Amino acid sequence: MAETANIPVIDISGDDQARVAKELVAAAIEHGFVYIKNNGKDIPVQAIDEAFEMSKRLFNAPTSEKQTCTIQQNNRGWSAMNYETLDPANQRVGDFKEAFNFGEFIDGKAQQPIPPTIAADEPQISAFRDLCYNLSLKLNTLLGIGLEVTPPDFFTSAHLRARGPSGTILRFLRYPPRADVSGDATADDVRAGAHSDYGSLTLLFRLRGQPGLEVLSADGKTWSPVPVVPPGTEEDPAPPILMNIGDLLSYWTNGLLRSTVHRVVFPRDGGGVQGEADVDGPRYSIAYFCHPFGGAQLGPVPSERVRGYKGGLAEGNPYAERKVLTADEHLKMRLKASYAQLYDEKQ
């Protein structure tokens, strides 16, 4: 059994926000991942439960419904099994998952086609997306404080909706059990290929008894499973929210904040996470990919701590080479690699 990732759990609701900010930055530097203790203050447990129920209804909808909402180059819509390939250089086939990406909502209405099965849930999906947005602003503010950025709301300001359109996505995901794909999958195949996230930070919601996420250690060789329920949170009303740093915060901090490579694997013989069941059933997760407005410049932020960092962009992340200038340019580069067939179809 692989050694589990040693990711800290942080309660961001404490009165001493300066201390919380320092803890958050320390975790982002060392791990790139941090558990946010879920006490229901930022995102109520009921809202998370309802989001997972909506997700299950969506994926149980007829394929014909979902096909009318097939993902487009704006990164919104339904992605079928094996359609997305997160690690094209190393994967034999596309990811063994299906996903649905929700972009912007206006007055509770999605600005994209929605399957009829969940049409009545539009306001609830929009409300959940708003909860994630507000939590992401709080986390960006804490990161700015912890890094002593001038001004401290630099990150927060770049993510305000008033600044303009962004690549922010709320994503529902379903990974089928191996039994459903046994004729197509080999022992080396994964549910989601190794990748770093495209945006600034990600909020990930998972269900008890459905592990599978693994993070790549700084050595670039060792994969460590990430428990859904880390020690000390067993009695919490819901598993902690997992936050991870994306490429853009790594760009902004010259690699001081780690955009850690991660993947999702099929259940392993003998289990993959100590103390957690790893049964071969479907796996559901919900990810909120937080992006700044599209024109945000990705140069190093005004911070003495960032200026004093000499490590360069994070090792082990093949996407950490500075090739782009704005958030939109980076997103388009990553999407073209992950959805090669979509972009080929549109030529």
Side-chain angles (χ1 to χ4, degrees), residues 84-87 91 94-97 171 173 175 189-195 212-214 223 262-266 283:
E84 181 180 25
T85 307
L86 286 170
D87 186 15
Q91 286 180 249
D95 296 352
F96 283 92
K97 70 174 191 291
R171 169 172 258 203
L173 292 134
Y175 302 84
D189 288 328
V190 293
R191 283 170 155 173
H195 66 286
L213 177 66
E214 294 184 340
W223 289 99
H262 50 285
R263 67 184 183 183
V264 179
V265 298
F266 284 101
R283 178 184 186 271

Side-chain angles (χ1 to χ4, degrees), residues 61-328:
T63 300
S64 57
E65 272 193 29
K66 293 181 286 190
Q67 286 176 332
T68 63
C69 305
T70 295
I71 195 163
Q72 302 297 307
Q73 288 187 7
N74 62 8
N75 200 30
R76 300 176 184 181
W78 178 64
S79 175
M81 191 71 58
N82 304 128
Y83 194 72
E84 181 180 25
T85 307
L86 286 170
D87 186 15
N90 297 297
Q91 286 180 249
R92 179 186 64 87
V93 295
D95 296 352
F96 283 92
K97 70 174 191 291
E98 60 176 312
F100 200 100
N101 291 0
F102 297 94
E104 182 184 22
F105 283 70
I106 297 178
D107 296 329
K109 299 293 292 183
Q111 304 302 292
Q112 65 190 83
I114 297 292
T117 295
I118 62 162
D121 297 316
E122 270 188 291
Q124 288 74 28
I125 299 170
S126 176
F128 185 75
R129 197 176 185 275
D130 285 344
L131 290 170
C132 293
Y133 168 71
N134 291 328
L135 177 55
S136 72
L137 291 183
K138 180 182 291 189
L139 292 167
N140 273 296
T141 297
L142 288 168
L143 289 170
I145 294 171
L147 287 170
E148 299 178 358
V149 179
T150 306
D153 66 349
F154 178 95
F155 297 136
T156 311
S157 176
H159 291 84
L160 294 175
R161 289 171 175 168
R163 298 292 299 275
S166 79
T168 297
I169 289 292
L170 174 67
R171 169 172 258 203
F172 289 172
L173 292 134
R174 182 187 184 275
Y175 302 84
R178 184 183 288 276
D180 287 0
V181 297
S182 57
D184 302 313
T186 71
D188 295 327
D189 288 328
V190 293
R191 283 170 155 173
H195 66 286
S196 61
D197 285 350
Y198 310 166
S200 49
L201 61 82
T202 300
L203 304 177
L204 181 65
F205 303 85
R206 296 182 292 165
L207 294 172
R208 288 184 173 92
Q210 297 184 12
L213 177 66
E214 294 184 340
V215 296
L216 186 63
S217 300
D219 63 10
K221 300 176 183 178
T222 307
W223 289 99
S224 300
V226 180
V228 177
V229 181
T233 67
E234 295 87 351
E235 302 303 319
D236 289 0
I241 300 165
L242 194 60
M243 184 205 87
N244 65 279
I245 299 299
D247 292 345
L248 303 191
L249 274 168
S250 188
Y251 279 134
W252 266 327
T253 60
N254 269 341
L256 178 62
L257 302 187
R258 288 186 59 200
S259 181
T260 302
V261 174
H262 50 285
R263 67 184 183 183
V264 179
V265 298
F266 284 101
R268 301 189 182 282
D269 295 337
V273 179
Q274 186 174 0
E276 290 191 350
D278 198 359
V279 298
D280 189 17
R283 178 184 186 271
Y284 293 88
S285 66
I286 298 173
Y288 178 80
F289 298 108
C290 173
H291 289 247
F293 73 97
Q297 299 290 314
L298 301 178
V301 297
S303 159
E304 289 298 328
R305 192 166 185 184
V306 170
R307 278 193 286 269
Y309 178 64
K310 305 302 181 183
L313 290 172
E315 295 181 2
N317 181 352
Y319 310 105
E321 183 180 351
R322 191 177 293 283
K323 297 180 179 179
V324 293
L325 298 176
T326 69
D328 268 353

